[in-house]
Amino acid sequence: MGHITTTDAGISAPSDEHSQSVGPNGPLLLQDHYLIQKMAHFNRERVPERVVHAKGGGAHGILQITEDVSQFTKAGLFQMGKETPLFLRFSTVAGEHGSADTARDPRGFAIKFYTEEGNYDLVGNNTPIFFIRDPQKFSDFIHSQKRRADTHLRDHNMQWDFWTLSPESAHQVTFLMTDRGTPASWRHMHGFGSHTFLWYNAGGEKFWVKYHFRTDQGVRNFTEAEAAAVNDLDFHIRDLHTAIASGDHPSWTVNVQVMPFEAAADYRFNPFDLTKVWPHGDYPEITIGRFVLNRNPENYFAEVEQASFEPSNLVPGIGASPDKMLQGRLFSYPDTHRYRIGPNYLQLPINAPRNEVHSYNFDGPMTYANPQDPVYAPNSMGGPVADPALFAGDSYKVAGEIIRSAYTLHAEDDDYGQPRALWENVLSETDRANLVSNIVGHAGAPEVTAEMKQRVVEYWTNIHKDLGQRVSDGL
């Protein structure tokens, strides 16, 4: 038997698989000190670039709501006719600052909406799913995609080692290995909120939602060969800036899927599992508006590099779901910004809300605006007072023993069904051929061992035997 994982204090670790939750399906707990330690340390691994999503670009724009969805949410930015300024940052995930824009990778799709009720941040990707479903595994997953400790080289064997030992990754890895893993430009790809979120209306009725941002430019992808042939590390940054500067303003249609609150409990699979999509036959997309990017940043460092996005910025009418990955990100993202940019990162112009701030936080490095006395609550001197009624709709009952566990399985929960459906029902034969070629090229790297290649074949065979056979033949 190998060594037992410990905390950094040398204490045996409780789990490297599962975060601590209220029952199998409930929210995570702040008392999960091992999860907090892993995430807090991970957030501080790089100075000063982002530990993930380091390379990217962005632009300013405007959200326009064209449909009435007040029956689902009271959030001001989603009311009929409302226009809200926004900033959107695109990025690659694994590469460093100088990496190529065209590398095979998911693309970050992070939006900050400057609403009249404060900032609302949607921190998504160009994929509707992710590689894992529990944040306990997040830093380990990213480490497998980054550089080795000894050679300082990326290692495909490490990547396949993690993926093949984590079958929940199959859906996202299938997506990644198609040509959607190499988009032709940021303008020609969809964006997704990915997580499930809570919406509640003025009457307190609750709904579960997923966000879809459909590119109005149409989807365009590179093949592996086309992406490799691009002799410009900044190809996507240049493309977006050039398009906007020339008046060709890209836009996206904003759609949502809405699930009745009560339907989640016995839905055929876990609707909060980040490795799953909701079938459109069950919950069709509803168009609620569109957004357009119409202004380039004036200073890259001030507006793109120092931009901070955090899923914990939730305005009244919108709340978190018990998606464990989302629960982890509620802590991880603002904690990262406090380290990378500083505790007063929200005072920077790109991050500052457009409405007035009345906070009891004060001092700290790089303070620009401090509150006036009193600087504590409660007080009897007329200081600001919280209004819990604004968020009355974001609560729901949870029950269960405090445990470390996977989600309770629903009737149709499994790791291979949805990627199998992607192979069988969505991909064209050209898409399938390119998927196989991309897998074989990646898993055929010199550092990938013979034993690992066999595990790769088994991984894809579990999705579909024909896919596994074609990968086996290629390898």
Side-chain angles (χ1 to χ4, degrees), residues 58-334:
H60 298 269
I62 193 84
L63 169 71
Q64 301 167 318
I65 299 301
T66 57
E67 306 298 328
D68 182 6
V69 290
S70 59
Q71 70 270 35
F72 300 127
T73 179
K74 68 176 185 178
L77 81 159
F78 291 133
Q79 300 312 302
M80 177 78 163
K82 191 67 178 175
E83 294 191 356
T84 302
L86 62 87
F87 184 77
L88 195 158
R89 184 177 185 268
F90 302 99
S91 56
T92 49
V93 177
E96 300 91 358
H97 262 157
S99 59
D101 286 353
T102 53
R104 182 169 304 281
D105 211 353
R107 298 305 190 279
F109 202 103
I111 313 174
K112 182 180 296 294
F113 299 100
Y114 303 96
T115 89
E116 294 173 0
E117 300 170 291
N119 290 348
Y120 174 46
D121 292 356
L122 256 175
V123 189
N125 286 316
N126 71 330
T127 64
I129 68 272
F130 197 61
F131 298 90
I132 53 175
R133 61 173 68 99
D134 192 304
Q136 193 70 263
K137 300 179 74 170
F138 183 71
S139 58
D140 300 300
F141 160 63
I142 295 297
H143 288 163
S144 75
Q145 311 300 299
K146 289 284 191 176
R147 297 180 179 273
R148 289 179 60 91
D150 50 4
T151 64
H152 196 59
L153 295 174
R154 300 278 295 276
D155 187 320
H156 290 193
N157 200 70
M158 289 199 313
Q159 297 178 26
W160 287 109
D161 191 31
F162 183 91
W163 287 337
T164 57
L165 293 174
S166 305
E168 70 270 28
S169 67
H171 197 184
Q172 173 74 312
V173 176
T174 304
F175 193 108
L176 175 65
M177 289 295 164
T178 69
D179 290 342
R180 294 215 177 188
T182 48
S185 85
W186 294 329
R187 298 180 294 123
H188 293 91
M189 66 183 192
H190 297 322
F192 302 89
S194 302
H195 298 287
T196 299
F197 295 90
L198 178 72
W199 271 9
Y200 51 97
N201 64 21
E205 294 177 280
K206 301 176 179 63
F207 306 86
W208 303 114
V209 300
K210 282 185 176 290
Y211 295 96
H212 302 256
F213 309 113
R214 301 296 183 182
T215 174
D216 295 331
Q217 291 69 239
V219 172
R220 284 185 52 220
N221 301 307
F222 285 142
T223 64
E224 177 73 19
E226 289 170 337
V230 174
N231 190 26
D232 181 358
L233 296 178
D234 303 319
F235 184 81
H236 290 162
I237 294 177
R238 194 181 316 279
D239 173 87
L240 180 67
H241 185 278
T242 301
I244 294 175
S246 67
D248 182 8
H249 297 160
S251 64
W252 284 258
T253 297
V254 179
N255 294 347
V256 292
Q257 289 178 286
V258 180
M259 177 185 290
F261 182 85
E262 295 76 13
D266 59 357
Y267 186 57
R268 51 200 178 96
F269 58 82
N270 181 359
F272 308 116
D273 181 347
L274 187 56
T275 71
K276 302 285 197 303
V277 297
W278 295 355
H280 287 69
D282 293 347
Y283 299 103
E285 291 184 28
I286 302 168
T287 295
I288 67 172
R290 68 192 292 269
F291 68 81
V292 60
L293 300 182
N294 56 16
R295 180 165 62 89
N296 282 315
E298 295 181 8
N299 182 282
Y300 181 90
F301 184 84
E303 297 171 67
V304 180
E305 186 62 19
Q306 292 194 129
S308 66
F309 303 87
E310 48 204 282
S312 50
N313 283 345
L314 299 165
V315 295
I318 307 170
S321 79
D323 172 348
K324 293 182 181 183
M325 283 297 295
L326 174 59
Q327 294 271 320
R329 295 176 86 200
L330 297 179
F331 161 77
S332 181
Y333 277 63

Side-chain angles (χ1 to χ4, degrees), residues 405-427:
S405 167
Y407 285 118
T408 300
L409 294 180
H410 291 214
E412 297 181 24
D413 266 327
D414 80 299
D415 291 324
Y416 301 113
Q418 291 203 356
R420 185 177 301 123
L422 187 62
W423 170 263
E424 291 179 338
N425 305 324
V426 178
L427 301 182

